[in-house]
Amino acid sequence: MMVIMHESATAEQVAHVVARVEEVGASAHVSTGERVTVIGVIGDREELTALPLEAMPGVERVVAILKPYKLVSREFQSRDTVVEVRGVKVGGGQFAMIAGPCSVETEEQVMASARAVKEAGAHMLRGGAFKPRTSPYAFQGLGEDGLKLLAAARDETGLPIVTEVMDPRDLDVVCRYADVLQIGARNMQNFLLLAEVGRLDKPVLLKRGLSATVEEWLMAAEYVVKEGNRRVILCERGIRTFETATRNTLDLGAVAVAKLASHLPVVVDPSHATGRPDLVLPLSLAGVAAGADGVIVETHPNPERALSDGAQSLPAAAFGAYAARVLELARWVGKRVD
Ligand code: PEP
Ligand code: MN
């Protein structure tokens, strides 16, 4: 449930409500807005209904939430969450372009990608060092050596780095280098991993699972936020459908739904959604039109030599023209892009 405080409620009154909620074993998450403070309460329904919250000083009203997610809901926080990473902002009208190769392969490949995306106006560099591959015989990523190459690219370009973590046992090493922790589609319901990244002070880019509903995706985000980490970026990367013309089906409706249902920023991944470089631009534009706060796109200096996802990667030489179109539309729909 949510406790909405009076505009004039004092900090002591807020603290009192929090203390009473915690007394019955529930947890309280305070969101301080410009005008009102809202306290999200999670706990045993019976214990909480027995608590006369409405009678407490400073309380305006108590709203029971039927949706299973609370902390990530718009009801809990009406203003957009803006996730800030080394000075780069995503959400709240600020558009972010995240781009780079699927996997980190070599120094030359990472540096060429980083320079191309920086030059084109991208805000962050992506690249996987720990890769979730369908085949155990496929390239699994360079591990820490890959993270070091990403860090070197960040040193040169200033671009924050987004990289995947698949296993709680790798969190220490990934956190030493990463600016944003990507949770991949296959791990969206790895609840132990979600809770672990929820206890860290690092933004999380949470991809939607291949067959997850929007509600399940938001519940996954709730796992992270519940542990205290509020810096979550949602990513729609296409879902499995009967359609085979594209690798997955980009669910633009889900982008619009997630923007309405949640205050978290939402980005679109047209590369994994389509599996085809010729569809990356049109679906990036569609994502922007649907309200996305950013895109995450794969690009490679030489896609035909890529060790993963070369078939869907934009050639780095074509990235500038792509980025110009996407950033132009983002500006046109009223987003800030620099
Ligand atoms: C990736 O970003 O390269 C990736 C593996 O993405 P997803 O988890 O969406 O398949
Ligand atoms: Mn990929």
Side-chain angles (χ1 to χ4, degrees), residues 124-126 147 150-151 154 159-163 177-180:
M124 292 192 233
L125 175 67
R126 65 146 289 149
L147 296 171
L150 285 171
R154 173 181 57 210
L159 295 174
I161 54 185
V162 181
T163 196
Y177 303 93
D179 298 305
V180 177

Side-chain angles (χ1 to χ4, degrees), residues 102-103 126 131 247 272 298 308-309 312:
C102 177
S103 302
R126 65 146 289 149
K131 295 303 301 177
R247 182 178 179 185
H272 293 88
E298 288 184 345
S308 63
D309 285 348
Q312 69 194 26

Side-chain angles (χ1 to χ4, degrees), residues 101-103 126 128 131-132 164 182-187 207-208 210 235 237 247-248 269 272 296 298 308-309 312:
C102 177
S103 302
R126 65 146 289 149
K131 295 303 301 177
E164 177 159 357
Q182 175 172 322
I183 304 290
R186 289 153 194 84
N187 264 319
K207 292 200 157 194
R208 181 181 177 191
L210 278 71
C235 175
R237 48 79 73 206
R247 182 178 179 185
N248 291 288
D269 175 346
H272 293 88
I296 176 165
E298 288 184 345
S308 63
D309 285 348
Q312 69 194 26

Side-chain angles (χ1 to χ4, degrees), residues 74-334:
R74 277 274 178 209
E75 286 86 357
F76 177 59
Q77 180 186 307
S78 57
R79 81 189 135 79
D80 287 348
T81 284
V82 182
V83 173
E84 189 165 349
V85 194
R86 289 180 177 263
V88 171
K89 290 182 181 152
V90 192
Q94 196 83 40
F95 188 83
M97 178 170 285
I98 306 166
C102 177
S103 302
V104 175
E105 298 165 5
T106 63
E107 185 178 349
E108 301 68 50
Q109 173 245 14
V110 175
M111 295 313 298
S113 307
R115 287 177 193 133
V117 305
K118 168 80 180 180
E119 168 83 21
H123 306 90
M124 292 192 233
L125 175 67
R126 65 146 289 149
F130 292 89
K131 295 303 301 177
R133 304 306 301 280
T134 302
S135 165
Y137 306 111
F139 175 59
Q140 305 285 310
L142 296 181
E144 186 168 5
D145 289 343
L147 296 171
K148 286 182 181 160
L149 295 178
L150 285 171
R154 173 181 57 210
D155 287 347
E156 188 190 299
T157 60
L159 295 174
I161 54 185
V162 181
T163 196
E164 177 159 357
V165 61
M166 297 199 294
D167 187 326
R169 290 171 296 187
D170 297 329
L171 270 171
D172 273 354
V173 64
V174 176
C175 281
R176 242 175 274 141
Y177 303 93
D179 298 305
V180 177
L181 299 171
Q182 175 172 322
I183 304 290
R186 289 153 194 84
N187 264 319
M188 190 206 83
Q189 286 189 317
N190 182 339
F191 301 118
L192 295 175
L193 180 61
L194 295 174
E196 286 291 338
V197 299
R199 289 190 271 273
L200 300 174
D201 184 23
K202 283 262 184 215
V204 173
L205 185 135
L206 177 63
K207 292 200 157 194
R208 181 181 177 191
L210 278 71
S211 57
T213 63
V214 172
E215 190 172 287
E216 287 163 341
W217 184 28
L218 294 176
M219 288 303 279
E222 186 87 6
Y223 262 92
V224 180
V225 177
K226 177 175 175 285
E227 295 302 322
N229 187 352
R230 296 180 176 205
R231 293 195 289 166
V232 177
I233 302 165
L234 297 167
C235 175
E236 160 59 36
R237 48 79 73 206
I239 51 172
R240 282 258 167 99
T241 68
F242 54 84
E243 182 54 73
T244 55
T246 49
R247 182 178 179 185
N248 291 288
T249 298
L250 182 62
D251 186 0
L252 288 170
V255 174
V257 168
K259 290 291 299 170
L260 287 177
S262 174
H263 50 81
L264 297 174
V266 181
V267 302
V268 157
D269 175 346
S271 302
H272 293 88
T274 64
R276 287 172 49 170
D278 56 346
L279 294 181
V280 166
L281 174 63
L283 290 189
S284 298
L285 298 175
V288 174
D293 299 292
V295 287
I296 176 165
V297 192
E298 288 184 345
T299 180
H300 192 285
N302 189 0
E304 72 167 64
R305 295 237 170 232
L307 297 180
S308 63
D309 285 348
Q312 69 194 26
S313 297
L314 291 175
F319 191 78
Y322 159 83
R325 296 289 304 280
V326 177
L327 294 173
E328 183 189 5
L329 183 66
R331 240 182 252 115
W332 192 82
V333 300

